[in-house]
Amino acid sequence: AYVDYQKSIWRVRGGRQALRGGLGYYLFDGASLMVKPKRWLRVEGFAGWSRGRTINQPRTGSLLAEVENVPPDKGSTLWALEMAARPHRSFSATFLYLRELRTDGEALYSERMALDAQWRGGRWLADFSSDFDWAFFHFNEARLRARYRATNDFHREGQYRHYRPFFELWTIWGVFSPVAYNEGQLAAWWDVKQDWKLSAEGAYRKYDQAKVENEFLGLNDDGYRLRGGAHWTDGIWTASLYAG
């Protein structure tokens, strides 16, 4: 629950809130201030006592204590800054910086930022999204995608993605340097008729070094996938067939 007070270009809100953005979903108890100095620009600041991601309770609660050998012994505070801009109808971008600290101020739980942007021009659509971990100074995710509508019925898409799992600093799992991968993907789909649609896609993935020596297992560091399918719909009936 929360209460807010809003004027024409600004808003103040207090209570239990949800921060939804490029870094996912965060719950916290605190306050936020939103200002819109321009019609195309929004700036919002957040601060308060944060709750554990996905568990909706403080990090010192029972859920983490039941599954972790060394759970957090201090709660956490959160402060964040988000800026969203749409200077032109064809382009929009959002930036989010988020920092979570222990309540005693002696250590970080996480320090991250996200940048998302989208551009539309004619038959083209391009978007970029990224999550950056300042604590380890690397990207957890970066994705660039471009889509082209050759005709009203035929679409093509290409995508590049980098991914590395994210772990908060209190847990030991981040020490094991989770393996990242890079992936390229091509896809196309065709609206044959109003009730028929065909699609095909292919992707290649390359993993970083796992730093594991085991000649017996013969671990591979790459992989690929191919997939094709058809989709049909008629009133209340729908049927799909995919293979890959």
Side-chain angles (χ1 to χ4, degrees), residues 151-205:
T151 67
N152 290 335
D153 301 325
F154 184 59
H155 303 257
R156 287 174 286 183
E157 180 179 289
Q159 176 177 279
Y160 167 80
R161 184 188 184 205
H162 170 83
Y163 175 75
R164 182 190 300 268
F166 165 73
F167 293 97
E168 294 183 337
L169 296 175
W170 64 266
T171 176
I172 194 173
W173 291 106
V175 178
F176 292 103
S177 300
V179 177
Y181 67 78
N182 297 288
E183 182 179 77
Q185 177 180 317
L186 294 174
W189 56 97
W190 181 28
D191 295 324
V192 183
K193 295 182 179 179
Q194 185 176 1
D195 53 354
W196 273 99
K197 179 179 179 180
L198 301 177
S199 63
E201 68 175 65
Y204 175 77
R205 180 178 295 183

Coordinates of all heavy atoms in Angstrom, one line a residue, residues 151-205:
T151 N 7.5 -7.0 -46.3 CA 6.2 -6.7 -46.8 C 5.3 -6.7 -45.5 O 5.8 -7.0 -44.4 CB 5.7 -7.7 -47.8 OG1 5.5 -9.0 -47.2 CG2 6.6 -7.8 -49.0
N152 N 4.0 -6.4 -45.7 CA 3.1 -6.5 -44.6 C 3.0 -7.9 -44.0 O 2.5 -8.1 -42.9 CB 1.8 -5.9 -45.0 CG 1.8 -4.4 -45.2 OD1 2.7 -3.7 -44.7 ND2 0.9 -3.9 -46.0
D153 N 3.3 -8.9 -44.8 CA 3.2 -10.3 -44.4 C 4.5 -11.0 -44.1 O 4.4 -12.1 -43.5 CB 2.4 -11.1 -45.5 CG 1.1 -10.5 -45.9 OD1 0.4 -10.0 -44.9 OD2 0.7 -10.5 -47.0
F154 N 5.6 -10.4 -44.4 CA 6.9 -11.1 -44.3 C 7.8 -10.3 -43.4 O 8.1 -9.1 -43.7 CB 7.5 -11.4 -45.6 CG 8.7 -12.2 -45.6 CD1 8.7 -13.5 -45.0 CD2 9.9 -11.7 -46.1 CE1 9.9 -14.2 -45.0 CE2 11.1 -12.4 -46.0 CZ 11.1 -13.7 -45.5
H155 N 8.3 -10.9 -42.3 CA 9.2 -10.2 -41.4 C 10.5 -11.0 -41.2 O 10.5 -12.3 -41.2 CB 8.5 -10.1 -40.0 CG 7.2 -9.4 -40.1 ND1 7.0 -8.1 -39.7 CD2 6.0 -9.8 -40.5 CE1 5.8 -7.8 -39.8 NE2 5.1 -8.8 -40.3
R156 N 11.6 -10.3 -41.0 CA 12.9 -10.9 -40.7 C 13.5 -10.2 -39.5 O 13.3 -9.0 -39.3 CB 13.8 -10.8 -41.9 CG 13.5 -11.7 -43.1 CD 14.3 -11.4 -44.3 NE 14.0 -10.2 -45.0 CZ 14.5 -9.7 -46.1 NH1 15.5 -10.4 -46.7 NH2 14.1 -8.6 -46.6
E157 N 14.3 -11.0 -38.7 CA 14.8 -10.4 -37.5 C 16.2 -11.0 -37.3 O 16.4 -12.2 -37.5 CB 13.9 -10.8 -36.3 CG 14.4 -10.2 -35.0 CD 13.4 -10.6 -33.9 OE1 12.3 -9.9 -33.8 OE2 13.7 -11.4 -33.0
G158 N 17.1 -10.2 -36.8 CA 18.4 -10.7 -36.4 C 18.7 -10.2 -35.0 O 18.3 -9.1 -34.6
Q159 N 19.4 -11.0 -34.2 CA 19.6 -10.6 -32.8 C 21.0 -11.1 -32.3 O 21.4 -12.2 -32.6 CB 18.5 -11.2 -31.9 CG 18.7 -11.0 -30.4 CD 17.6 -11.6 -29.6 OE1 16.5 -11.0 -29.5 NE2 17.8 -12.7 -29.1
Y160 N 21.7 -10.2 -31.5 CA 22.9 -10.6 -30.8 C 22.7 -10.5 -29.3 O 22.1 -9.4 -28.9 CB 24.1 -9.8 -31.3 CG 25.3 -9.9 -30.4 CD1 26.1 -11.0 -30.5 CD2 25.5 -9.0 -29.3 CE1 27.2 -11.2 -29.6 CE2 26.6 -9.2 -28.5 CZ 27.4 -10.3 -28.6 OH 28.5 -10.4 -27.8
R161 N 23.1 -11.5 -28.6 CA 22.9 -11.4 -27.1 C 24.1 -11.9 -26.4 O 24.7 -12.9 -26.7 CB 21.7 -12.3 -26.7 CG 21.3 -12.2 -25.3 CD 20.2 -13.2 -24.9 NE 19.8 -13.1 -23.5 CZ 19.3 -14.1 -22.8 NH1 19.1 -15.3 -23.4 NH2 18.9 -14.0 -21.6
H162 N 24.5 -11.2 -25.3 CA 25.5 -11.6 -24.3 C 24.8 -11.8 -23.0 O 24.0 -10.9 -22.6 CB 26.6 -10.6 -24.2 CG 27.5 -10.8 -23.1 ND1 28.6 -11.7 -23.2 CD2 27.5 -10.4 -21.8 CE1 29.2 -11.8 -22.0 NE2 28.6 -10.9 -21.2
Y163 N 25.1 -12.9 -22.3 CA 24.4 -13.2 -21.0 C 25.4 -13.8 -20.0 O 26.2 -14.7 -20.4 CB 23.2 -14.1 -21.2 CG 22.6 -14.6 -19.9 CD1 21.7 -13.7 -19.3 CD2 22.8 -15.8 -19.4 CE1 21.1 -14.0 -18.1 CE2 22.2 -16.2 -18.2 CZ 21.4 -15.3 -17.5 OH 20.8 -15.6 -16.3
R164 N 25.3 -13.3 -18.8 CA 26.1 -13.8 -17.7 C 25.2 -13.8 -16.5 O 24.6 -12.7 -16.2 CB 27.3 -13.0 -17.4 CG 28.2 -13.6 -16.3 CD 29.3 -12.6 -15.9 NE 30.2 -12.3 -17.0 CZ 31.3 -13.0 -17.3 NH1 31.7 -14.0 -16.5 NH2 32.0 -12.7 -18.3
P165 N 25.0 -14.9 -15.7 CA 24.1 -14.9 -14.6 C 24.5 -13.8 -13.5 O 25.7 -13.6 -13.3 CB 24.2 -16.3 -14.0 CG 24.7 -17.1 -15.2 CD 25.5 -16.2 -16.0
F166 N 23.5 -13.3 -12.9 CA 23.7 -12.3 -11.8 C 23.5 -12.9 -10.4 O 22.5 -13.6 -10.2 CB 22.8 -11.1 -12.0 CG 22.7 -10.2 -10.8 CD1 23.8 -9.3 -10.5 CD2 21.6 -10.2 -10.0 CE1 23.7 -8.5 -9.4 CE2 21.5 -9.3 -8.9 CZ 22.6 -8.5 -8.6
F167 N 24.4 -12.6 -9.5 CA 24.3 -13.0 -8.1 C 24.6 -11.8 -7.2 O 25.5 -11.0 -7.5 CB 25.2 -14.1 -7.8 CG 24.8 -15.4 -8.4 CD1 25.5 -15.8 -9.6 CD2 23.9 -16.3 -7.9 CE1 25.2 -17.0 -10.2 CE2 23.5 -17.4 -8.6 CZ 24.2 -17.8 -9.7
E168 N 23.8 -11.6 -6.2 CA 24.1 -10.5 -5.2 C 25.4 -10.8 -4.5 O 25.8 -12.0 -4.4 CB 22.9 -10.3 -4.3 CG 21.7 -9.9 -5.0 CD 20.5 -9.6 -4.0 OE1 20.6 -10.2 -2.9 OE2 19.6 -8.8 -4.3
L169 N 26.0 -9.8 -3.9 CA 27.3 -9.9 -3.4 C 27.3 -10.7 -2.0 O 28.4 -11.1 -1.6 CB 27.9 -8.5 -3.1 CG 28.1 -7.7 -4.4 CD1 28.6 -6.3 -4.1 CD2 29.1 -8.4 -5.3
W170 N 26.2 -10.8 -1.4 CA 26.2 -11.5 -0.1 C 26.4 -13.0 -0.3 O 26.8 -13.8 0.6 CB 24.9 -11.3 0.7 CG 23.7 -11.7 0.0 CD1 22.9 -11.0 -0.8 CD2 23.1 -13.1 0.1 NE1 21.8 -11.8 -1.2 CE2 21.9 -13.1 -0.7 CE3 23.5 -14.2 0.7 CZ2 21.2 -14.2 -0.8 CZ3 22.7 -15.4 0.6 CH2 21.5 -15.3 -0.2
T171 N 26.0 -13.6 -1.5 CA 26.0 -15.0 -1.7 C 27.4 -15.5 -2.3 O 28.0 -14.7 -3.1 CB 24.9 -15.5 -2.6 OG1 25.0 -16.9 -2.8 CG2 24.9 -14.7 -3.9
I172 N 27.8 -16.7 -2.0 CA 29.1 -17.2 -2.4 C 29.0 -17.6 -3.9 O 30.1 -17.8 -4.5 CB 29.5 -18.4 -1.5 CG1 31.0 -18.7 -1.8 CG2 28.6 -19.6 -1.8 CD1 31.5 -19.8 -0.8
W173 N 27.8 -17.8 -4.5 CA 27.7 -18.3 -5.8 C 28.4 -17.4 -6.8 O 28.9 -17.8 -7.9 CB 26.3 -18.5 -6.2 CG 25.7 -19.7 -5.4 CD1 24.8 -19.6 -4.4 CD2 26.0 -21.0 -5.6 NE1 24.5 -20.8 -3.9 CE2 25.2 -21.8 -4.6 CE3 26.8 -21.8 -6.4 CZ2 25.2 -23.1 -4.5 CZ3 26.8 -23.1 -6.3 CH2 26.1 -23.8 -5.3
G174 N 28.4 -16.1 -6.6 CA 29.1 -15.2 -7.5 C 30.6 -15.4 -7.6 O 31.2 -15.1 -8.6
V175 N 31.2 -16.0 -6.6 CA 32.6 -16.2 -6.6 C 33.0 -17.3 -7.6 O 34.1 -17.3 -8.1 CB 33.1 -16.7 -5.2 CG1 34.5 -17.0 -5.2 CG2 32.7 -15.6 -4.2
F176 N 32.1 -18.2 -8.0 CA 32.4 -19.2 -8.9 C 32.4 -18.7 -10.4 O 32.5 -19.6 -11.3 CB 31.4 -20.4 -8.8 CG 31.5 -21.1 -7.5 CD1 30.6 -20.8 -6.4 CD2 32.6 -22.0 -7.2 CE1 30.8 -21.5 -5.2 CE2 32.7 -22.6 -6.0 CZ 31.8 -22.4 -5.0
S177 N 32.3 -17.4 -10.6 CA 32.3 -16.9 -12.0 C 31.5 -17.6 -12.9 O 31.9 -18.4 -13.8 CB 33.8 -16.8 -12.5 OG 34.6 -16.1 -11.6
P178 N 30.1 -17.5 -12.8 CA 29.2 -18.2 -13.8 C 29.6 -18.0 -15.2 O 30.0 -16.9 -15.6 CB 27.9 -17.5 -13.5 CG 28.0 -17.0 -12.1 CD 29.4 -16.6 -11.9
V179 N 29.5 -19.0 -16.0 CA 30.0 -19.0 -17.4 C 29.0 -18.1 -18.2 O 27.8 -18.3 -18.2 CB 30.0 -20.4 -18.0 CG1 30.4 -20.3 -19.4 CG2 31.0 -21.2 -17.2
A180 N 29.6 -17.2 -19.0 CA 28.8 -16.3 -19.9 C 28.7 -17.0 -21.3 O 29.5 -17.9 -21.6 CB 29.5 -14.9 -20.0
Y181 N 27.8 -16.5 -22.1 CA 27.8 -16.9 -23.5 C 27.4 -15.8 -24.4 O 26.8 -14.8 -23.9 CB 26.8 -18.1 -23.6 CG 25.4 -17.8 -23.4 CD1 24.6 -17.2 -24.4 CD2 24.7 -18.2 -22.3 CE1 23.2 -17.0 -24.2 CE2 23.4 -18.0 -22.1 CZ 22.6 -17.4 -23.1 OH 21.3 -17.1 -22.9
N182 N 27.7 -15.9 -25.6 CA 27.3 -15.0 -26.7 C 26.5 -15.8 -27.7 O 26.9 -16.9 -28.1 CB 28.6 -14.4 -27.4 CG 29.4 -13.5 -26.4 OD1 29.0 -12.5 -26.0 ND2 30.6 -14.0 -26.0
E183 N 25.5 -15.2 -28.2 CA 24.6 -15.9 -29.1 C 24.1 -14.9 -30.2 O 23.8 -13.8 -30.0 CB 23.4 -16.4 -28.3 CG 22.4 -17.2 -29.2 CD 21.2 -17.6 -28.4 OE1 20.3 -16.8 -28.1 OE2 21.2 -18.8 -28.0
G184 N 24.1 -15.5 -31.4 CA 23.5 -14.8 -32.6 C 22.3 -15.6 -33.1 O 22.3 -16.8 -33.1
Q185 N 21.3 -14.9 -33.5 CA 20.1 -15.6 -33.9 C 19.5 -14.9 -35.2 O 19.5 -13.6 -35.3 CB 19.0 -15.5 -32.8 CG 17.7 -16.1 -33.1 CD 16.7 -16.1 -32.0 OE1 17.1 -16.4 -30.8 NE2 15.5 -15.7 -32.2
L186 N 18.9 -15.7 -36.1 CA 18.2 -15.2 -37.2 C 16.8 -15.8 -37.3 O 16.7 -17.0 -37.0 CB 18.9 -15.5 -38.6 CG 20.3 -14.8 -38.8 CD1 21.0 -15.3 -40.0 CD2 20.1 -13.2 -38.8
A187 N 15.8 -15.0 -37.6 CA 14.5 -15.6 -37.6 C 13.6 -14.9 -38.7 O 13.9 -13.8 -39.1 CB 13.8 -15.4 -36.2
A188 N 12.6 -15.6 -39.2 CA 11.7 -15.1 -40.2 C 10.3 -15.7 -40.0 O 10.2 -16.8 -39.5 CB 12.2 -15.3 -41.6
W189 N 9.3 -14.9 -40.3 CA 7.9 -15.5 -40.2 C 7.1 -14.8 -41.3 O 7.3 -13.7 -41.7 CB 7.3 -15.3 -38.8 CG 7.2 -13.9 -38.3 CD1 6.2 -13.0 -38.4 CD2 8.2 -13.2 -37.6 NE1 6.5 -11.8 -37.8 CE2 7.7 -11.9 -37.3 CE3 9.5 -13.5 -37.2 CZ2 8.5 -11.0 -36.6 CZ3 10.3 -12.6 -36.5 CH2 9.7 -11.3 -36.2
W190 N 6.1 -15.6 -41.8 CA 5.3 -15.3 -42.9 C 3.9 -15.5 -42.6 O 3.5 -16.6 -42.3 CB 5.8 -16.1 -44.1 CG 5.1 -15.8 -45.4 CD1 4.5 -14.6 -45.8 CD2 4.9 -16.7 -46.5 NE1 3.9 -14.7 -47.0 CE2 4.1 -16.0 -47.5 CE3 5.2 -18.1 -46.7 CZ2 3.7 -16.6 -48.7 CZ3 4.8 -18.6 -47.9 CH2 4.1 -17.9 -48.9
D191 N 3.1 -14.5 -42.7 CA 1.6 -14.6 -42.6 C 1.1 -15.0 -44.0 O 0.7 -14.1 -44.8 CB 1.0 -13.3 -42.1 CG 1.5 -12.9 -40.8 OD1 1.7 -13.8 -39.9 OD2 1.7 -11.7 -40.5
V192 N 1.0 -16.3 -44.2 CA 0.6 -16.8 -45.5 C -0.8 -16.3 -45.8 O -1.1 -15.8 -46.9 CB 0.6 -18.3 -45.5 CG1 0.3 -18.9 -46.9 CG2 2.0 -18.8 -45.1
K193 N -1.8 -16.5 -44.9 CA -3.1 -16.1 -45.0 C -3.5 -15.5 -43.6 O -2.7 -15.5 -42.7 CB -4.1 -17.2 -45.4 CG -3.8 -17.8 -46.8 CD -4.8 -18.8 -47.1 CE -4.6 -19.4 -48.5 NZ -5.6 -20.5 -48.8
Q194 N -4.7 -15.0 -43.5 CA -5.2 -14.5 -42.2 C -5.1 -15.5 -41.1 O -4.9 -15.1 -40.0 CB -6.6 -13.9 -42.4 CG -7.1 -13.2 -41.2 CD -8.4 -12.5 -41.4 OE1 -9.0 -12.6 -42.5 NE2 -8.9 -11.8 -40.4
D195 N -5.3 -16.8 -41.5 CA -5.4 -17.8 -40.4 C -4.2 -18.7 -40.4 O -4.1 -19.7 -39.6 CB -6.7 -18.6 -40.6 CG -6.8 -19.2 -42.0 OD1 -6.0 -18.8 -42.9 OD2 -7.7 -20.0 -42.3
W196 N -3.2 -18.5 -41.3 CA -2.0 -19.3 -41.4 C -0.7 -18.5 -41.2 O -0.6 -17.4 -41.7 CB -1.9 -20.0 -42.7 CG -2.6 -21.3 -42.8 CD1 -3.9 -21.5 -43.3 CD2 -2.2 -22.6 -42.3 NE1 -4.2 -22.8 -43.2 CE2 -3.2 -23.5 -42.6 CE3 -1.0 -23.0 -41.7 CZ2 -3.1 -24.9 -42.3 CZ3 -0.9 -24.3 -41.3 CH2 -1.9 -25.3 -41.6
K197 N 0.2 -19.0 -40.4 CA 1.5 -18.4 -40.2 C 2.6 -19.4 -40.2 O 2.5 -20.4 -39.5 CB 1.5 -17.6 -38.9 CG 2.8 -16.9 -38.5 CD 2.6 -16.1 -37.2 CE 3.9 -15.4 -36.9 NZ 3.8 -14.7 -35.6
L198 N 3.7 -19.1 -40.9 CA 4.9 -20.0 -40.9 C 6.1 -19.3 -40.3 O 6.2 -18.0 -40.5 CB 5.2 -20.4 -42.4 CG 4.2 -21.2 -43.1 CD1 4.6 -21.5 -44.6 CD2 3.8 -22.5 -42.4
S199 N 6.9 -20.0 -39.6 CA 8.1 -19.4 -39.0 C 9.3 -20.3 -39.0 O 9.2 -21.5 -39.1 CB 7.8 -19.0 -37.6 OG 7.5 -20.1 -36.8
A200 N 10.5 -19.7 -39.0 CA 11.7 -20.4 -39.0 C 12.8 -19.6 -38.2 O 12.8 -18.4 -38.3 CB 12.2 -20.8 -40.4
E201 N 13.7 -20.3 -37.5 CA 14.7 -19.6 -36.8 C 16.0 -20.5 -36.6 O 15.8 -21.7 -36.6 CB 14.3 -19.1 -35.5 CG 14.0 -20.1 -34.4 CD 13.6 -19.6 -33.1 OE1 12.6 -18.9 -33.0 OE2 14.4 -19.8 -32.1
G202 N 17.1 -19.9 -36.5 CA 18.3 -20.6 -36.3 C 19.2 -19.7 -35.4 O 19.2 -18.5 -35.4
A203 N 20.0 -20.4 -34.5 CA 20.9 -19.6 -33.5 C 22.1 -20.4 -33.3 O 22.1 -21.6 -33.3 CB 20.1 -19.4 -32.2
Y204 N 23.2 -19.7 -33.0 CA 24.5 -20.3 -32.6 C 24.9 -19.6 -31.3 O 24.9 -18.4 -31.2 CB 25.5 -20.0 -33.7 CG 26.9 -20.5 -33.3 CD1 27.2 -21.9 -33.4 CD2 27.9 -19.6 -32.9 CE1 28.5 -22.3 -33.0 CE2 29.1 -20.1 -32.6 CZ 29.4 -21.4 -32.6 OH 30.7 -21.8 -32.2
R205 N 25.4 -20.4 -30.4 CA 25.8 -19.9 -29.1 C 27.2 -20.4 -28.8 O 27.6 -21.6 -29.0 CB 24.9 -20.5 -28.0 CG 25.2 -20.0 -26.6 CD 24.2 -20.6 -25.6 NE 22.8 -20.0 -25.8 CZ 21.8 -20.2 -25.1 NH1 21.9 -21.1 -24.0 NH2 20.6 -19.7 -25.3

